[in-house]
Amino acid sequence: MKRWMAVAAAAVGGVIGMNAAADVRLPGVFSEHMVVQRDVPVAVWGWADAGEEVAVSLGKATGSAKAGGDGKWQVTLKGQAAAGEGTDLLVKGKNSVTVKDVLVGEVWLCSGQSNMGFTVGRSDRFPEEQAAAKLPGIRMYMVEKNPQREPQADAKGKWVVCAPETVGTFSAAAYFFGREIHQKLNVPVGLINSSYGGTDICAWTSEEVQRPIPELAAQMEDWKKRDAAYDPEKAKAAYDAQIVKWQAASAKAKADGKAATRKPVAPVKPSISQNHPANLYNGMIAPLIPYTMRGAIWYQGENNASNDERGKLYEKQLPLMIADWRKRWSNEFPLGIVQLPNFTHKGEGWMLVQEAELKTAQTVPNTGMAVTIDLGDPTNIHPTHKQEVGKRLAGWALGDVYHQPGAVTSGPWPKGHEVRGGEMAVTFSHADGGLVAKGGGGGELKGFEIAGEDGMFVPASGKIEGEKVIVSSAQVSKPVAVRYAWKDNTDGTLANGAGVPASPFRAGK
């Protein structure tokens, strides 16, 4: 603990203790203030002259390897117990590399788009959070944004120690998640923030696994055509015109006391766009493999909810990305999903992404989900109450990953349904403390709809019976389908006894 406090007071940054011209070198993620995963074998890798012998040590764990013909070497160190006292990672070949202040604890990859990148400094109650951030046992590695057409060997970034002076730049969802883990388990926590705002899930998934899927292969062909047709001069002229309009609109908004509209994004050649399939996997995920970690958390989907077609496709894309990452790491690591919160949005794309996230959590092993339909902002796609988002993600991890008793791992999920005459009975899992109507035992269940054979949904009443909700409407005598919270800015009130809301869902024909 004394070591942590000393580090926190030092205005820390990520520095690799080595000569840039040295024969032996390490990836950027192996740098000062890093956290390595406890209790399991840890991969350490880097580059040296072909055939060079490299020795590695971290505490009592040691290993050695010979660099291959391509100069790459990798050592697997014996797993060690959590250690909050910083130690040095030593790498020796013809030269020596020392990485200082290494902790052993829990490591999580934190990825997605802008709501994962959203910082603590922009979150609710920042002055309070800043004052309470004297937590040097929490460190975050921030991967620099780097879309690339080919998988990269390294990613720039740095490990930053949590302190009042630094926490404002941390990913809020990741930080509040990590803080719960740190405080509940009393171990160091390392968070690798690899996020990029406004991005499509296809950019985070390797090209190799997308090509066999017709819809995704078609997307890649479309990108290829757009790239061939790209005219930089025309694109710049169009952008300049957009800027003129934006400046006028912003000036008017300022005069009217309103917030300025978002500045147009400068054009880039389609093949190097951050949204091109695989570009973020290549530049911001591949370089991290095979860094040893406990698991990953994922907050993304807003970009894919733009229309119904794309929203439906997410049901294939999310499990595909998870399988892709796990295969690359050779590790079926746990992954926690943040389900999209409430937000005013046209069409069904938003709900279809929420549905895809639920189905993924229900069907893909070792995967969980934080329900957040009550934490959004109808008019702001970047809600600021990230504390509860992190807490709910941590509830899943503490319960399902760390097996802590009493942890609330999710809000209610549907796990079965049956027709009972003119009613539909829906059974729920994750009904911790029983099902309730949010706002108290006497509250009204809202958000349910029911449909007969004509497929037309009408508002329905719901009655709680243990872990079931009995749904009915006088307008439907022979129900065949039921749905809950099936609108972007839902008014659904079903929750469990812990106060966590139920996930939106559809069931039946």
Side-chain angles (χ1 to χ4, degrees):
M1 180 63 74
K2 290 181 180 179
R3 172 64 172 162
W4 288 3
M5 295 306 293
V7 171
V12 295
V15 179
I16 301 177
M18 64 178 182
N19 187 319
D23 293 327
V24 173
R25 63 184 180 90
L26 293 166
V29 72
F30 286 91
S31 51
E32 192 173 10
H33 311 309
M34 67 185 288
V35 181
V36 299
Q37 179 61 45
R38 64 171 175 160
D39 298 336
V40 296
V42 171
V44 181
W45 73 95
W47 300 270
D49 288 341
E52 185 174 350
E53 289 284 349
V54 178
V56 180
S57 65
L58 177 67
K60 296 180 180 179
T62 62
S64 62
K66 181 182 289 189
D70 59 356
K72 181 104 179 257
W73 56 265
Q74 182 171 324
V75 170
T76 301
L77 299 179
K78 184 180 178 180
Q80 301 182 65
E85 188 75 18
T87 189
D88 292 346
L89 174 67
L90 304 176
V91 182
K92 294 183 179 180
K94 295 174 184 175
N95 63 293
S96 296
V97 177
T98 301
V99 179
K100 297 182 177 297
D101 186 38
V102 179
L103 302 185
V104 182
E106 291 297 307
V107 179
W108 287 81
L109 171 63
C110 313
S111 189
Q113 58 180 108
S114 54
N115 272 307
M116 181 60 82
F118 191 93
T119 63
V120 175
R122 297 168 62 196
S123 299
D124 290 352
R125 306 189 306 277
F126 175 59
E128 298 169 38
E129 298 295 358
Q130 184 179 36
K134 298 172 183 176
L135 298 169
I138 300 175
R139 281 96 187 273
M140 185 171 290
Y141 185 80
M142 302 183 186
V143 180
E144 289 188 12
K145 294 177 174 61
N146 185 30
Q148 293 286 339
R149 284 303 302 128
E150 298 295 334
Q152 301 297 295
D154 201 0
K156 293 180 180 180
K158 63 180 180 179
W159 284 96
V160 178
V161 177
C162 180
E165 315 88 73
T166 61
V167 72
T169 65
F170 282 22
S171 156
Y175 169 68
F176 294 123
F177 165 81
R179 186 174 68 180
E180 287 286 316
I181 302 299
H182 173 61
Q183 293 177 339
K184 292 292 193 302
L185 302 184
N186 194 31
V187 297
V189 173
L191 304 162
I192 300 175
N193 175 10
S194 184
S195 58
Y196 199 133
T199 52
D200 191 292
I201 192 172
C202 73
W204 294 100
T205 310
S206 74
E207 226 174 86
E208 177 185 334
V209 301
Q210 296 186 71
R211 286 204 174 278
I213 297 174
E215 302 96 321
L216 302 183
Q219 284 186 355
M220 284 187 268
E221 287 304 310
D222 182 59
W223 276 96
K224 188 175 180 180
K225 291 176 183 177
R226 288 163 56 189
D227 196 61
Y230 180 72
D231 183 327
E233 291 185 2
K234 286 184 178 179
K236 185 180 184 306
Y239 173 70
D240 290 343
Q242 288 178 323
I243 288 293
V244 170
K245 290 182 180 179
W246 170 77
Q247 289 172 335
S250 295
K252 185 177 186 305
K254 185 177 181 180
D256 295 341
K258 298 179 180 178
T261 57
R262 183 176 294 182
K263 185 178 180 179
V265 178
V268 297
K269 188 172 172 60
S271 59
I272 61 173
S273 165
Q274 68 271 24
N275 275 314
H276 188 286
N279 278 9
L280 298 182
Y281 167 80
N282 292 335
M284 298 177 67
I285 297 297
L288 302 173
I289 302 169
Y291 198 89
T292 307
M293 62 189 188
R294 178 65 68 191
I297 54 175
W298 176 251
Y299 194 164
Q300 192 272 342
E302 300 92 338
N303 187 277
N304 293 82
S306 60
N307 59 52
D308 296 3
E309 182 181 358
R310 297 185 71 220
K312 183 64 177 174
L313 188 57
Y314 201 77
E315 189 175 326
K316 292 184 178 181
Q317 291 176 293
L318 183 55
L320 182 72
M321 186 201 74
I322 295 170
D324 186 30
W325 288 11
R326 287 174 172 173
K327 182 179 179 181
R328 307 289 176 176
W329 258 275
S330 299
N331 180 4
E332 294 294 309
F333 56 78
L335 185 140
I337 301 160
V338 180
Q339 189 182 45
L340 290 186
N342 54 305
F343 175 67
T344 302
H345 195 278
K346 292 181 180 179
E348 288 194 314
W350 199 263
M351 293 81 79
L352 290 167
V353 168
Q354 290 174 325
E355 181 178 59
E357 290 164 335
L358 172 63
K359 287 183 176 181
T360 300
Q362 288 178 314
T363 60
V364 176
N366 214 15
T367 303
M369 185 182 74
V371 181
T372 66
I373 62 166
D374 59 333
L375 301 179
D377 183 329
T379 61
N380 185 358
I381 203 167
H382 300 119
T384 57
H385 188 41
K386 292 294 193 287
Q387 288 89 340
E388 187 65 19
V389 174
K391 185 176 180 181
R392 291 182 189 176
L393 270 176
W396 157 73
L398 289 167
D400 288 358
V401 180
Y402 298 111
H403 309 295
Q404 297 289 298
V408 178
T409 58
S410 182
W413 296 357
K415 69 175 183 180
H417 65 280
E418 61 177 334
V419 178
R420 293 182 178 179
E423 302 174 329
M424 291 279 279
V426 184
T427 306
F428 291 86
S429 61
H430 301 288
D432 303 69
L435 297 176
V436 301
K438 211 168 182 184
E444 179 187 356
L445 277 183
K446 297 180 180 179
F448 282 95
E449 297 174 287
I450 199 166
E453 293 179 348
D454 62 0
M456 301 297 292
F457 281 93
V458 298
S461 62
K463 180 176 65 175
I464 295 171
E465 288 186 2
E467 294 186 350
K468 290 183 171 69
V469 174
I470 312 304
V471 185
S472 64
S473 170
Q475 300 178 55
V476 178
S477 59
K478 295 181 179 180
V480 299
V482 62
R483 66 187 185 188
Y484 170 73
W486 196 258
K487 61 180 181 179
D488 47 10
N489 189 33
T490 178
D491 60 354
T493 58
L494 182 64
N496 58 25
V500 184
S503 169
F505 72 90
R506 296 184 295 180
K509 293 182 181 179

